[in-house]
Amino acid sequence: MTKARTHVLETIAQAKEPVSARQLCGKFQHEHDPATIYRALHYLEEKGRLDSFILHCSEHGTERYYVLHVAEHRHWFHCERCHRFTDLGLCQFDALVAKMSADRGLTVTSHTFYATGVCSECRAKTKVSVKTPG
Amino acid sequence: MTKARTHVLETIAQAKEPVSARQLCGKFQHEHDPATIYRALHYLEEKGRLDSFILHCSEHGTERYYVLHVAEHRHWFHCERCHRFTDLGLCQFDALVAKMSADRGLTVTSHTFYATGVCSECRAKTKVSVKTPG
DNA sequence: CAAAAATTGCAAACGACTTGCAAAATATAC
DNA sequence: GTATATTTTGCAAGTCGTTTGCAATTTTTG
Ligand SMILES: [Mn+2]
Ligand SMILES: [Mn+2]
Ligand SMILES: [Zn+2]
Ligand SMILES: [Zn+2]
């Protein structure tokens, strides 16, 4: 493991939410070139240490996000206000996906799911400010 | 409705699967500029005539796909071999999404789901060629 | 330690999409 | 129906996330 790959992997391992290449490039802008960050991400995903998915958010556009590879994958909610992720827990779609694909003779190798909206904290802020007199 | 908007909407209305901007630009390359196609897509989605989602495929990369807006949305499977879509039917995730979000206090405004893999036709071709003697 | 292989930084390129702007088409006002 | 205002278009350039060529540096191998 080179220094760049270690930095990238440890950052993602310590994060509580998916991390984008942009965030990593920002964090290591004085240590590693963006090309090195992208190459490290490809290397780590290819070696099975990372998983990734693409998510679109109106403010950040379309970006790939990375998480540590784990045996049972999870899905995520992305808040369009604060841009943090909420863990939706272990994937509960397998049975449904198996049924949908079996019915149609499909061999499903991967699926993507995410939800977007407003998280509980941002929702609370909105309600408070709406109710505030004056 | 201008000519460009009519062309875009009718193409998507007649298609049996989601259509990308790239496909539309190819089809109308002698009639409309790509900028006009993109502007027509934005206009039609904004007016509620189209829905769209972003899907990543290893061969075509990350693109936005458009379908006619209908009351109850559907989800799609994308074949990584022939790059055609298979309709997975009406969304069956609403109950699960409602539960996941209620548990966490999330206000979900949209969700994205798609599966990728090999469609039944491409799977059949593979099996035949594997079994062929010689 | 020398040669081969892998990794890096930099600059340029890529592809999907967006935008500024002036011309052309369309709608609205007399 | 011609002048005026508005909308839409094509073109060229720009943006943004990501990728790639290449030469220099680092690491591995013999
Ligand atoms: Mn975001
Ligand atoms: Mn495809
Ligand atoms: Zn939030
Ligand atoms: Zn197929």
Side-chain angles (χ1 to χ4, degrees):
Chain A
M1 289 282 285
T2 66
K3 193 181 283 188
R5 289 168 183 174
T6 304
H7 282 164
V8 166
L9 184 58
E10 287 187 352
T11 301
I12 295 168
Q14 285 161 24
K16 294 204 167 55
E17 358 178 336
V19 179
S20 68
R22 193 172 46 78
Q23 293 172 304
L24 293 164
C25 289
K27 171 162 190 176
F28 295 116
Q29 61 187 308
H30 301 302
E31 288 156 273
H32 307 292
D33 191 82
T36 304
I37 304 280
Y38 280 101
R39 287 192 276 231
L41 289 167
H42 293 335
Y43 172 89
L44 292 165
E45 187 163 23
E46 144 96 24
K47 296 294 178 191
R49 309 288 303 271
L50 296 181
D51 289 331
S52 74
F53 58 93
I54 285 174
L55 177 143
H56 177 88
C57 131
S58 55
E59 195 164 318
H60 295 115
T62 306
E63 289 182 296
R64 189 175 285 274
Y65 291 82
Y66 292 86
V67 295
L68 267 198
H69 172 80
V70 287
E72 310 218 354
H73 76 270
R74 319 182 77 80
H75 292 293
W76 299 87
F77 168 90
H78 184 75
C79 176
E80 292 273 10
R81 296 258 177 89
C82 66
H83 303 281
R84 287 180 303 175
F85 285 89
T86 302
D87 186 346
L88 294 177
L90 293 175
C91 175
Q92 297 178 256
F93 300 119
D94 284 338
L96 218 41
V97 170
K99 187 174 188 316
M100 292 187 303
S101 49
D103 289 352
R104 295 166 178 83
L106 307 171
T107 307
V108 170
T109 53
S110 88
H111 67 259
T112 296
F113 174 89
Y114 63 83
T116 60
V118 183
C119 77
S120 58
E121 290 185 36
C122 290
R123 175 63 58 202
K125 279 176 204 157
T126 302
K127 278 183 183 155
V128 165
S129 73
V130 165
K131 283 180 185 174
T132 297
Chain B
M1 290 280 286
T2 66
K3 193 181 282 189
R5 290 168 182 173
T6 303
H7 282 162
V8 165
L9 185 58
E10 287 188 352
T11 299
I12 295 168
Q14 286 162 24
K16 295 204 168 54
E17 3 179 332
V19 178
S20 68
R22 194 172 45 78
Q23 293 173 304
L24 293 164
C25 290
K27 171 162 189 176
F28 295 116
Q29 62 185 308
H30 300 303
E31 286 156 277
H32 307 291
D33 190 83
T36 304
I37 303 281
Y38 281 101
R39 287 193 273 231
L41 289 168
H42 293 161
Y43 172 89
L44 292 165
E45 188 162 26
E46 144 99 25
K47 296 294 178 191
R49 309 290 302 271
L50 297 180
D51 288 332
S52 74
F53 60 93
I54 285 174
L55 176 143
H56 178 90
C57 133
S58 54
E59 196 164 316
H60 294 114
T62 307
E63 291 182 294
R64 191 175 283 273
Y65 291 82
Y66 292 85
V67 294
L68 267 199
H69 173 81
V70 287
E72 311 218 355
H73 75 270
R74 319 181 77 80
H75 292 294
W76 300 86
F77 167 89
H78 183 76
C79 176
E80 291 275 7
R81 296 258 176 91
C82 67
H83 303 281
R84 286 179 304 175
F85 284 89
T86 302
D87 186 347
L88 294 176
L90 292 176
C91 176
Q92 298 178 254
F93 300 119
D94 283 339
L96 218 40
V97 170
K99 186 173 189 316
M100 293 187 301
S101 50
D103 289 351
R104 295 165 179 83
L106 307 171
T107 306
V108 171
T109 53
S110 87
H111 67 259
T112 297
F113 174 89
Y114 62 84
T116 60
V118 183
C119 76
S120 59
E121 290 185 37
C122 290
R123 175 62 60 203
K125 282 176 200 153
T126 302
K127 279 185 182 154
V128 167
S129 72
V130 163
K131 284 181 183 173
T132 298

